Amino acid sequence: MQSFELTVLGCSSATPTSTRNPTSQLLNIADRFMLVDCGEATQIQLRRFKIKFQRINHIFISHLHGDHYLGLVGLLASMHLLGRNNDLHLYAPPELQEILDVQHKHSQTFLRYKVVFHPLGFDQSELLFEDDKLTVETIILNHRIPCCGFLFKEKPRPRNILTQALEKYRIPVHVLGKIKRGDDYINEQGVTIANAEITEAPPAPRSFAYCSDTCYDESVIEKVKGVDLLYHEATFMQEMEERAKETFHSTTIDAATVAKKAAVKKLIIGHYSARYKDLDKLLAETQSVFENTVLALEGEVYSP
Amino acid sequence: MQSFELTVLGCSSATPTSTRNPTSQLLNIADRFMLVDCGEATQIQLRRFKIKFQRINHIFISHLHGDHYLGLVGLLASMHLLGRNNDLHLYAPPELQEILDVQHKHSQTFLRYKVVFHPLGFDQSELLFEDDKLTVETIILNHRIPCCGFLFKEKPRPRNILTQALEKYRIPVHVLGKIKRGDDYINEQGVTIANAEITEAPPAPRSFAYCSDTCYDESVIEKVKGVDLLYHEATFMQEMEERAKETFHSTTIDAATVAKKAAVKKLIIGHYSARYKDLDKLLAETQSVFENTVLALEGEVYSP
């Protein structure tokens, strides 16, 4: 089975607590390791959870509030000091380039590897990355400063050829690729065996949508429709609705409403305000609207 | 007794490990709380050790390698979010101002309190701060980029008046200040009572010198002569002497030699390379030259 694992590295909002770090998540789809946001101490969390961070080749930064990017300069430096050679792809608001340049200039840092900078646009959703296994698109969010989420989707996989069909029809190796792509098999005698008889459908492509930071915004719903895993920030309980609106954040009910209207399979909430010691209250309130909700907790691994 | 406590918040060198954070120390002299360097995750360490960080009014940054300042933007933001009003004094290389400005601009952060920026010079030692209790001066260090340490010294305190003398000579309140400063007491009959008879010497002023990052440099010795506590980096064991020289860092023996030649009372080593799991070896090697050495360990509190 192709890997599809989300590891939460930090689940706090802007002010970290003694037990919760600023936002960062590591996503592994088909052995592509991708970091989503990189709050302060992300590299320390990666170490703590024994994740080899040189395997990360793609970093996505949603916006330029410090709790979403302040761990980046330190992580890039450690990758350098530990001998990285591979290119690193960085998808981020264009202004991050200046933030990195100023710091590298004054620390006289010259990274030994190449950082390929992909500036994000915020007018409409964009395709950021595509290979044979997955795509990554932006989700336009609604926050105090330009901000976007990210939608990760597996590509449809080839059909699985049934073991018993291989034996029964003595199918030669050189036609397997075509059959996996849906072709029928025509044997040496010219007899056609229908693809449906010799293959089974592959697992459905899976998807993960990351939405932080944002106020409640109906436009997000269409974009995340039916995803397997939705991470949506829920900074506040519903009683703090006014504060949420002022600060362009979401409440538990906002997150649950997006999940429900988008008919996602599972909701993960996070980005908790430091005021909440007991996260179970946030969970219960979210579940009152969307039952299949779980808490983002540091070190936990989530799969569809 | 006037407070004099050093708390180590981070003791790692450039690449943090799963158990060691980048450099930061909190110094409390006479209830002045001063932060010395502010590596990534300093605010998380302050939380972890339950230190009220709004009490910090002075932050000293030795140089602009990331492991010594990357926690600053996050700490300033949290102070803001938690309602700080008091001025914060920041003593740092002048280029740090640009690093802060660029990040505050792009995150649209407007701190609610004033950061008073004091740019450091690196040509000669300077007096950075002075009040009725202490002085802070720079120590010019020798590193790859401009870098200085800091020398914190208590001011001499007034003499203590002996309780029995107060009663015996019925000394009136209005002359106590002069007697504490060393004057003799002349009573109503015009008789002189010598100061030495009615007072005792106060505790000797204490001092702490912070030296990170630096290669072995004899000029440091004169500046830290006789201090009560010397923190000196010891990134490497002596067998890595060449690597230490290349990177302008110190070995255990370098740190011990400075401590010995300066006749300090106690040496604290730190800034350990991530390659060392067992710090006792560094300690033993340092003690082979300067016996009264201890390891900087996170959460530990050191006093003269």
Side-chain angles (χ1 to χ4, degrees):
Chain A
M1 186 70 169
Q2 188 165 289
S3 56
F4 196 117
E5 287 182 345
L6 178 74
T7 306
V8 170
L9 302 171
C11 65
S12 172
S13 62
T15 49
T17 72
S18 58
T19 55
R20 300 200 296 260
N21 283 260
T23 300
S24 186
Q25 302 184 357
L26 182 78
L27 184 64
N28 165 8
I29 299 181
D31 291 327
R32 278 85 173 139
F33 289 81
M34 298 169 285
L35 194 67
V36 187
D37 278 339
C38 186
E40 185 175 353
T42 293
Q43 64 169 326
I44 295 163
Q45 293 291 85
L46 287 167
R47 290 276 200 181
R48 187 172 154 208
F49 301 128
K50 306 203 185 304
I51 296 165
K52 292 181 177 136
F53 54 66
Q54 299 288 27
R55 299 184 72 177
I56 298 168
N57 290 328
H58 301 272
I59 300 180
F60 299 86
I61 302 292
S62 64
H63 67 300
L64 292 182
H65 281 152
D67 55 323
H68 292 257
Y69 83 86
L70 285 176
L72 189 62
V73 172
L75 179 61
L76 297 184
S78 290
M79 286 174 161
H80 162 78
L81 290 168
L82 296 170
R84 185 185 180 101
N85 289 310
N86 292 344
D87 289 0
L88 182 77
H89 292 266
L90 181 58
Y91 308 81
E95 297 82 2
L96 186 62
Q97 183 75 67
E98 185 185 4
I99 291 173
L100 296 180
D101 288 347
V102 165
Q103 295 186 79
H104 289 157
K105 179 178 70 178
H106 294 314
S107 61
Q108 296 179 24
T109 298
F110 305 94
L111 299 177
R112 67 171 75 228
Y113 59 94
K114 191 173 170 191
V115 176
V116 184
F117 194 96
H118 304 265
L120 299 175
F122 296 95
D123 293 333
Q124 56 186 27
S125 175
E126 301 171 322
L127 177 67
L128 293 180
F129 173 79
E130 178 169 19
D131 70 3
D132 59 322
K133 300 288 188 187
L134 74 144
T135 60
V136 187
E137 300 162 49
T138 53
I139 304 166
I140 303 303
L141 300 176
N142 192 345
H143 196 45
R144 292 201 300 287
I145 60 173
C147 182
C148 67
F150 305 99
L151 177 59
F152 301 84
K153 294 196 289 194
E154 282 183 329
K155 284 195 170 171
R157 277 179 278 173
R159 297 182 66 82
N160 292 324
I161 302 180
L162 300 167
T163 313
Q164 62 269 37
L166 282 173
E167 288 171 11
K168 182 175 175 186
Y169 298 107
R170 296 171 168 270
I171 304 173
V173 171
H174 74 274
V175 298
L176 295 181
K178 285 183 175 177
I179 293 172
K180 285 182 178 178
R181 289 191 291 275
D183 281 12
D184 295 335
Y185 171 50
I186 303 167
N187 70 11
E188 287 179 354
Q189 289 74 40
V191 179
T192 295
I193 296 121
N195 187 282
E197 197 180 323
I198 53 179
T199 67
E200 62 179 4
R206 295 164 294 181
S207 51
F208 167 62
Y210 173 88
C211 298
S212 187
D213 296 359
T214 189
C215 62
Y216 177 78
D217 191 315
E218 297 261 337
S219 76
V220 171
I221 295 165
E222 192 55 40
K223 190 72 189 167
V224 305
K225 198 139 255 173
V227 298
D228 294 86
L229 283 180
L230 169 65
Y231 169 82
H232 197 290
E233 69 130 296
T235 307
F236 298 108
M237 294 282 286
Q238 191 58 22
E239 65 187 8
M240 300 285 289
E241 191 182 356
E242 285 310 308
R243 179 81 183 135
K245 281 183 180 145
E246 280 164 29
T247 56
F248 288 76
H249 282 299
S250 295
T251 66
T252 51
I253 301 299
D254 291 335
T257 304
V258 170
K260 189 176 181 181
K261 290 194 176 181
V264 307
K265 300 209 178 70
K266 189 194 278 187
L267 170 64
I268 305 167
I269 57 168
H271 201 263
Y272 318 114
S273 165
R275 59 171 57 71
Y276 301 118
K277 307 292 170 231
D278 176 12
L279 299 178
D280 288 337
K281 288 182 186 167
L282 285 100
L283 179 62
E285 193 167 79
T286 314
Q287 287 176 329
S288 73
V289 172
F290 188 81
E291 197 179 341
N292 196 13
T293 302
V294 294
L295 293 170
L297 297 173
E298 295 173 14
E300 292 283 310
V301 180
Y302 303 81
S303 288
Chain B
M1 187 70 170
Q2 188 166 289
S3 55
F4 196 116
E5 287 182 346
L6 177 73
T7 305
V8 171
L9 302 170
C11 65
S12 171
S13 63
T15 49
T17 72
S18 58
T19 55
R20 300 201 295 260
N21 283 261
T23 300
S24 185
Q25 302 186 358
L26 182 79
L27 183 65
N28 166 10
I29 299 181
D31 290 329
R32 278 84 172 142
F33 289 81
M34 298 169 283
L35 194 67
V36 186
D37 279 336
C38 186
E40 185 173 354
T42 293
Q43 64 169 325
I44 295 163
Q45 293 291 84
L46 286 167
R47 290 278 200 179
R48 186 172 154 210
F49 301 128
K50 306 205 184 306
I51 296 165
K52 293 182 175 135
F53 54 66
Q54 299 288 28
R55 297 184 73 178
I56 298 168
N57 291 328
H58 301 273
I59 300 180
F60 299 86
I61 302 292
S62 63
H63 67 299
L64 292 182
H65 282 152
D67 56 321
H68 292 258
Y69 82 86
L70 285 175
L72 189 63
V73 172
L75 178 62
L76 297 183
S78 291
M79 286 174 162
H80 163 80
L81 290 167
L82 296 170
R84 184 184 181 101
N85 290 311
N86 292 344
D87 289 358
L88 181 77
H89 292 267
L90 180 57
Y91 307 81
E95 298 82 4
L96 186 63
Q97 183 74 67
E98 184 185 6
I99 291 173
L100 296 179
D101 289 348
V102 165
Q103 295 187 79
H104 289 157
K105 179 177 72 179
H106 294 312
S107 61
Q108 296 180 23
T109 298
F110 305 95
L111 298 177
R112 67 171 75 227
Y113 59 93
K114 190 173 170 191
V115 176
V116 184
F117 194 96
H118 305 265
L120 299 176
F122 296 94
D123 293 332
Q124 55 186 31
S125 175
E126 301 171 324
L127 177 68
L128 294 180
F129 173 79
E130 177 169 19
D131 71 3
D132 59 323
K133 300 288 188 187
L134 73 144
T135 59
V136 187
E137 300 162 47
T138 53
I139 304 166
I140 302 304
L141 300 177
N142 191 345
H143 196 44
R144 292 201 299 288
I145 61 174
C147 181
C148 67
F150 305 100
L151 176 59
F152 301 84
K153 292 196 290 193
E154 282 183 331
K155 284 194 169 173
R157 277 179 277 176
R159 297 183 66 82
N160 293 324
I161 302 181
L162 299 167
T163 314
Q164 61 270 36
L166 282 173
E167 288 170 9
K168 179 174 175 187
Y169 297 107
R170 299 172 164 271
I171 304 174
V173 171
H174 75 274
V175 298
L176 294 181
K178 285 183 176 178
I179 295 173
K180 284 182 177 177
R181 288 192 290 276
D183 282 12
D184 294 335
Y185 171 50
I186 302 168
N187 71 10
E188 289 179 353
Q189 288 74 41
V191 178
T192 295
I193 296 119
N195 187 280
E197 196 179 326
I198 53 179
T199 67
E200 61 179 3
R206 295 163 295 181
S207 51
F208 167 61
Y210 172 88
C211 298
S212 187
D213 297 0
T214 189
C215 62
Y216 177 77
D217 191 316
E218 298 259 337
S219 76
V220 171
I221 295 164
E222 191 56 38
K223 190 71 188 169
V224 305
K225 198 138 255 176
V227 297
D228 294 86
L229 284 181
L230 168 66
Y231 170 80
H232 196 291
E233 70 130 295
T235 307
F236 298 107
M237 296 280 286
Q238 191 59 21
E239 65 188 8
M240 301 284 290
E241 191 182 356
E242 286 309 308
R243 179 83 183 135
K245 282 184 180 144
E246 278 164 32
T247 57
F248 288 77
H249 281 300
S250 294
T251 66
T252 51
I253 301 300
D254 292 335
T257 304
V258 171
K260 189 177 180 181
K261 290 194 175 180
V264 308
K265 300 211 177 70
K266 190 194 280 188
L267 170 64
I268 306 167
I269 56 167
H271 200 266
Y272 317 114
S273 165
R275 59 171 57 72
Y276 301 117
K277 308 296 170 225
D278 176 12
L279 300 178
D280 287 337
K281 287 181 186 167
L282 285 101
L283 179 61
E285 194 167 77
T286 314
Q287 287 175 330
S288 73
V289 172
F290 188 80
E291 195 178 343
N292 197 14
T293 302
V294 294
L295 292 170
L297 296 173
E298 296 175 12
E300 292 284 310
V301 179
Y302 303 82
S303 288

